[in-house]
Amino acid sequence: MRTVFLLGVLPGLAIALPSAQAQEPVKTEEKAPDAKEKTPDPESNERVSVTATKRSTLVQDTPLAVTAVTQRDLDRAQVKDLSSLQTMVPNLSVEQHGDSGGVHVFLRGVGSTNHTELGDPAVAFHVDGIYSPRPQGATALMYDLSHVEVARGPQGTLFGRNATAGSINLVTQKPRLFDSSGSTSMVFGNYNRLGIQGAFNVPLGETAAIRVAAITDQHDGYVDFQPRSSVLPGTPKYMAGDQTGTRATLLWEPVDAVTTTLAVETYRDTGTGTIALMQKPRAGQDRYSALVDTPGVLDQSTITYRGRVDYRPIDAIELSYIGSWSRLKRKNASDYDAGTLPGFKQEHRTESSQFDSDSHEIQVKSMDSGAFQWLAGLFSIREDNAIRFDIDVTRVQVADDNAPIPPYPTQPTDTAWAMSFIQPKRTLESQAAFGQGTLSLTDNFRVTLGARATTEKKQDVGGRNWVCPDFGATLGNGGHVIGPGGSVNEATCGSAYAPGTWPGGGANDAETKDSADTYLARAEFNPAADLMTYLTLSTGFKSGGLSDGGRRHKPEFLTNYEWGVKSEFLNRRLALNLALFLMKYKDMQVSSIEYQPNGQQQLVTSNAAASTIAGFESEVSWRISRTDRWTGQASILEAKYDDFLTCDSALLDCSLPENAVNLDGNYLPHAPRLSLTTAYEHDVPLEGGATVMPRVQLHYQTESYLNAFNDAPADAEKPGSFSDARTQKAYTTVDASLRYQVAKNVWFAEAFVLNASNEAVKTDASWIADSSTWTSFYNPPRTYGVKLGHEF
């Protein structure tokens, strides 16, 4: 039967050109308690356990589309953060953003581009199964991990909040009893990159152990200052990195029935953030360069306390408490206009922000090997966020391309006005109850049912928006430069919105409540050993929310139909996993910049009435021999809006009803129709136990869109617009490395190059109306370096 199945799926696999992510890379320390006992060939793929079902199960025995990438594979692919992970996971896209050091994460074309305190991600981010509500947490460095789990499709029953598109879980290395060990490494690279990391495991008697890990990674900026930039000598360039992280984890097992894990983790980013670059640079201008009048400044820090207590009153039941408290603080400044028009300046600043959250979960689940396995729990999370965000806009007259640019407006006709968003208290309260059970009807057939009930309340108290003194003001009619820390109040500034435009004028006071029930139904069948198929019906929910001015958007709902296969062949030397899915969205939340008739820009969230997403995903890992390994992943995606009435405010006047358009048939952003990655590793044994290990990885994806309007034709009345501004054309990137390793990683030296072809890949598109120019954030250019490491 397995031979017949293989003949049936390989043609489809060939069409999809599967590529680079091993579903079963390297064995983790813990064996899944319910894993099947098998005796694989010594040359077979080693196996990894995941917790995507809130139980420890082998990936090949987990009936959902989940990718697991171990720390070993992260290291070999030079992955250090979430954005560099995306080529290893089917249908994962990560978009960097400059305003706040955050990222936008998409799975299967579904994500959110609102990373502010108003927005919620569509891909839930976790560390050790604990939810991290702010997207900025996804920029955290990936170091000293057991593995990363990426579960695709709605995870609304077990993981709940904002897991409509899927979830990402960083599983950290845990302390080990009776083990004194550690590792260190250093990396040197171009752009003066210097990275150092280390981890140490220390036993504390017979019942406890502590593990401490730390990392720092620094490099110069990728974006050069163009002549006439208004910066001081020695100013760091944009896209410079300066990140540090520490983690201390304590394991305590006072008795056999109790396991306690406590962790404290810190992270700080004092780089410069990213900057949007001109899509069509001027003559003689490099792609990675900008005319800068606001140097990039970023000071973002987090501290998180996590704790878990597992108690087994009897062998058949485990009771768990999982809790956390986290604080994110950020200040930053960025050059929004990026010098697209000499003399025009739009500076964005977060003067202050603080995001506090605490979460609590109680679980109880079965631990025996009976025919019925069950799990139930209660979950709650609270956020309390505060922020002041400012925008300063000035425009001065510049004589010609060679004349100096005055730093401040001086003439009566020079533009000078500002906006300030002061939000002292934006809160979230969310509670949920959930349960799931699996019944084995026979040795080869199982059914699973699960449900979750969620209620959420969001509130804005005392939020105010100001404009000083009015949109488009000049020095001749009262305009003035506010500057950092300037006074912004009702005496000096007006409401950002005309009375009656939104309730309360410039006030944001509002409240919204939503509740929903999500569910899962699944059937699993094992027609043969090492072969499992599953059929799933699941739903997802993301609550509605508020935009500035009290504007409300509705909750979104997702129904997912999925068929999957987990299979191993050639005595486990070849693992092949497939997923075929259809997702129907109702009221999909879409965030975008809206341009008002007065020229004001505002980030708002609206709802697309309906959309359909269908696709196919494949992952393969083939241990060709003891010295050869090929891994791959590929995906085909058809993600379109079915009903989305909106207006292209970037190019059109949306106050005119005739400019409304239904985007029925348009593709969702960040949803390439074909993407694939393939990687090949080969070991060359040398005398004395050393090994030379070359590795090469290729990633390809077809054209994709950066905006819901796709490649809308250029507007003849908008000079500077062009038809493919919101399109990322098909591209290919190549990464390669060569490692010299002694005695199974006692020490190693490795040379690597990333993006060897130096592809400039756009991740978004923005229209700068004042300069009639399209800009984009871009992925990093070619980087390379050498890494040295030692284990003891």
Side-chain angles (χ1 to χ4, degrees):
M1 179 177 290
R2 294 193 322 156
T3 302
V4 173
F5 176 80
L6 179 61
L7 292 174
V9 301
L10 281 182
L13 181 65
I15 293 173
L17 297 176
S19 51
Q21 163 48 28
Q23 191 78 315
E24 295 296 314
V26 175
K27 188 177 180 180
T28 56
E29 299 166 31
E30 299 180 7
K31 180 182 176 182
D34 55 353
K36 303 178 182 69
E37 293 295 334
K38 302 171 184 176
T39 54
D41 187 289
E43 294 185 5
S44 66
N45 286 311
E46 295 182 89
R47 317 192 89 197
V48 61
S49 298
V50 295
T51 57
T53 58
K54 295 204 171 182
R55 296 177 181 274
S56 181
T57 59
L58 297 172
V59 172
Q60 294 303 114
D61 297 329
T62 304
L64 56 88
V66 57
T67 297
V69 189
T70 65
Q71 185 68 64
R72 180 264 185 196
D73 284 341
L74 294 173
D75 290 342
R76 289 307 315 274
Q78 312 303 322
V79 171
K80 69 171 185 175
D81 55 26
L82 187 57
S83 62
S84 49
L85 176 69
Q86 57 185 320
T87 60
M88 305 182 75
V89 179
N91 285 321
L92 174 64
S93 296
V94 181
E95 170 192 323
Q96 296 281 357
H97 197 279
D99 268 355
S100 62
V103 293
H104 303 151
V105 184
F106 296 80
L107 274 172
R108 295 178 173 175
V110 180
S112 171
T113 56
N114 189 343
H115 58 276
T116 71
E117 77 288 350
L118 284 170
D120 286 314
V123 179
F125 188 76
H126 301 80
V127 179
D128 290 331
I130 297 176
Y131 178 64
S132 177
R134 291 297 99 205
Q136 287 86 343
T139 63
L141 296 171
M142 294 184 180
Y143 66 100
D144 197 39
L145 301 180
S146 167
H147 61 281
V148 180
E149 303 174 8
V150 182
R152 302 180 295 281
Q155 308 298 312
T157 301
L158 292 181
F159 289 92
R161 187 161 201 275
N162 297 333
T164 46
S167 67
I168 298 174
N169 186 23
L170 305 188
V171 182
T172 64
Q173 285 283 9
K174 301 303 185 295
R176 295 185 293 266
L177 300 177
F178 312 109
D179 179 32
S180 296
S181 61
S183 64
T184 60
S185 67
M186 297 183 67
V187 61
F188 307 89
N190 60 333
Y191 297 99
N192 290 318
R193 182 184 175 190
L194 173 62
I196 303 173
Q197 63 177 297
F200 307 91
N201 193 94
V202 181
L204 303 174
E206 297 183 353
T207 61
I210 189 170
R211 187 176 186 90
V212 179
I215 188 172
T216 178
D217 200 290
Q218 304 173 357
H219 62 79
D220 292 345
Y222 305 139
V223 181
D224 291 328
F225 296 127
Q226 294 175 11
R228 299 195 300 167
S229 291
S230 180
V231 295
L232 297 174
T235 297
K237 301 175 183 178
Y238 273 99
M239 298 183 78
D242 190 352
Q243 300 169 299
T244 58
T246 60
R247 183 191 307 128
T249 308
L250 174 67
L251 172 67
W252 183 39
E253 298 181 350
V255 294
D256 290 342
V258 176
T259 300
T260 301
T261 307
L262 304 174
V264 57
E265 185 163 8
T266 67
Y267 169 71
R268 189 173 186 188
D269 187 348
T270 55
T272 57
T274 57
I275 188 172
L277 305 174
M278 294 180 67
Q279 290 196 27
K280 289 191 173 181
R282 302 185 185 93
Q285 175 183 314
D286 293 335
R287 165 71 64 202
Y288 289 89
S289 69
L291 180 61
V292 173
D293 45 36
T294 300
V297 176
L298 177 63
D299 188 353
Q300 178 171 267
S301 62
T302 62
I303 183 167
T304 304
Y305 299 92
R306 295 188 294 271
R308 177 175 183 132
V309 180
D310 298 316
Y311 171 53
R312 295 166 294 283
I314 59 176
D315 291 342
I317 294 178
E318 181 177 81
L319 178 67
S320 301
Y321 167 77
I322 307 164
S324 74
W325 180 88
S326 179
R327 170 168 289 173
L328 165 67
K329 301 180 73 172
R330 185 183 74 248
K331 294 182 179 180
N332 69 285
S334 63
D335 192 328
Y336 181 83
D337 65 282
T340 54
L341 178 66
F344 171 66
K345 175 179 180 178
Q346 183 168 329
E347 176 179 296
H348 289 191
R349 296 190 314 276
T350 301
E351 295 285 359
S352 63
S353 64
Q354 181 170 299
F355 309 88
D356 292 345
S357 65
D358 60 89
S359 68
H360 308 272
E361 182 169 328
I362 296 175
Q363 287 181 25
V364 59
K365 63 186 176 185
S366 60
M367 296 295 289
D368 58 14
S369 56
F372 182 58
Q373 297 292 310
W374 54 270
L375 180 150
L378 300 173
F379 171 82
S380 71
I381 186 171
R382 176 179 169 82
E383 282 192 81
D384 191 346
N385 302 330
I387 189 170
R388 172 178 166 177
F389 176 70
D390 288 2
I391 299 175
D392 285 355
V393 180
T394 62
R395 185 168 181 176
V396 299
Q397 301 300 313
V398 180
D400 54 56
D401 290 342
N402 297 316
I405 301 173
Y408 303 107
T410 58
Q411 304 301 316
T413 56
D414 288 346
T415 300
W417 60 278
M419 294 184 68
S420 187
F421 302 83
I422 303 174
Q423 321 299 336
K425 193 174 185 65
R426 277 179 166 159
T427 61
L428 161 77
E429 295 178 4
S430 178
Q431 294 85 33
F434 61 92
Q436 185 164 300
T438 298
L439 177 63
S440 296
L441 298 176
T442 70
D443 289 342
N444 297 323
F445 184 69
R446 296 165 297 282
V447 294
T448 298
L449 295 175
R452 188 182 189 102
T454 302
T455 61
E456 294 205 355
K457 174 183 175 181
K458 296 177 180 177
Q459 194 171 23
D460 191 321
V461 180
R464 296 294 182 267
N465 303 340
W466 307 104
V467 60
C468 308
D470 197 2
F471 296 108
T474 65
L475 292 186
N477 61 17
H480 56 282
V481 180
I482 300 297
S487 174
V488 181
N489 53 55
E490 195 167 3
T492 61
C493 304
S495 164
Y497 311 111
T501 303
W502 278 303
N508 292 327
D509 297 73
E511 179 180 300
T512 179
K513 296 180 180 179
D514 290 302
S515 61
D517 299 327
T518 52
Y519 59 87
L520 174 143
R522 181 170 59 227
E524 308 166 42
F525 178 54
N526 294 84
D530 295 330
L531 175 61
M532 177 183 69
T533 66
Y534 62 90
L535 188 64
T536 300
L537 169 63
S538 59
T539 61
F541 154 78
K542 186 165 76 168
S543 64
L546 303 167
S547 295
D548 288 331
R551 173 173 168 173
R552 171 174 160 78
H553 54 271
K554 297 184 291 185
E556 67 176 20
F557 298 89
L558 168 66
T559 301
N560 179 55
Y561 308 87
E562 186 163 324
W563 172 78
V565 176
K566 299 290 183 75
S567 58
E568 293 176 296
F569 306 97
L570 307 178
N571 205 14
R572 288 195 183 154
R573 291 168 59 187
L574 172 64
L576 172 63
N577 297 335
L578 309 174
L580 187 67
F581 58 89
L582 173 66
M583 302 196 298
K584 301 292 290 187
Y585 250 105
K586 178 183 176 183
D587 294 325
M588 172 184 276
Q589 295 173 12
V590 181
S591 298
S592 62
I593 297 290
E594 284 192 1
Y595 292 79
Q596 307 301 320
N598 55 20
Q600 179 221 348
Q601 302 172 25
Q602 185 185 2
L603 178 63
V604 299
T605 299
S606 54
N607 295 94
S611 57
T612 300
I613 303 170
F616 170 77
E617 298 166 341
S618 63
E619 296 178 281
V620 63
S621 177
W622 185 13
R623 191 67 177 264
I624 302 171
S625 69
R626 288 182 182 271
T627 59
D628 296 272
R629 180 170 173 239
W630 174 62
T631 58
Q633 63 88 359
S635 57
I636 298 173
L637 193 61
E638 192 79 2
K640 293 184 177 182
Y641 296 108
D642 297 326
D643 185 5
F644 184 17
L645 186 65
T646 185
C647 174
D648 188 358
S649 66
L651 299 177
L652 301 174
D653 183 354
C654 290
S655 65
L656 303 176
E658 60 266 28
N659 286 334
V661 61
N662 196 316
L663 299 184
D664 177 17
N666 273 26
Y667 283 89
L668 271 62
H670 304 285
R673 275 157 276 185
L674 170 65
S675 61
L676 62 89
T677 309
T678 183
Y680 178 71
E681 298 178 17
H682 176 64
D683 297 347
V684 182
L686 303 177
E687 293 183 5
T691 307
V692 174
M693 306 167 65
R695 181 184 189 274
V696 62
Q697 174 177 297
L698 179 146
H699 174 74
Y700 168 79
Q701 69 178 50
T702 56
E703 178 182 83
S704 62
Y705 301 110
L706 308 173
N707 184 282
F709 290 91
N710 295 181
D711 54 354
D715 186 338
E717 297 182 0
K718 294 286 186 179
S721 64
F722 50 94
S723 61
D724 62 350
R726 291 176 278 201
T727 301
Q728 171 54 53
K729 297 180 179 179
Y731 70 92
T732 302
T733 58
V734 178
D735 304 333
S737 64
L738 180 65
R739 174 180 287 216
Y740 178 80
Q741 183 171 293
V742 174
K744 295 185 179 180
N745 217 29
V746 171
W747 69 267
F748 69 88
E750 183 173 34
F752 64 88
V753 57
L754 305 178
N755 189 13
S757 55
N758 204 28
E759 292 286 337
V761 178
K762 296 186 292 188
T763 63
D764 80 337
S766 296
W767 171 253
I768 308 298
D770 292 81
S771 52
S772 298
T773 304
W774 283 99
T775 64
S776 278
F777 291 107
Y778 286 83
N779 280 342
R782 179 193 300 117
T783 57
Y784 52 86
V786 175
K787 186 175 183 179
L788 307 175
H790 174 58
E791 288 189 358
F792 54 90

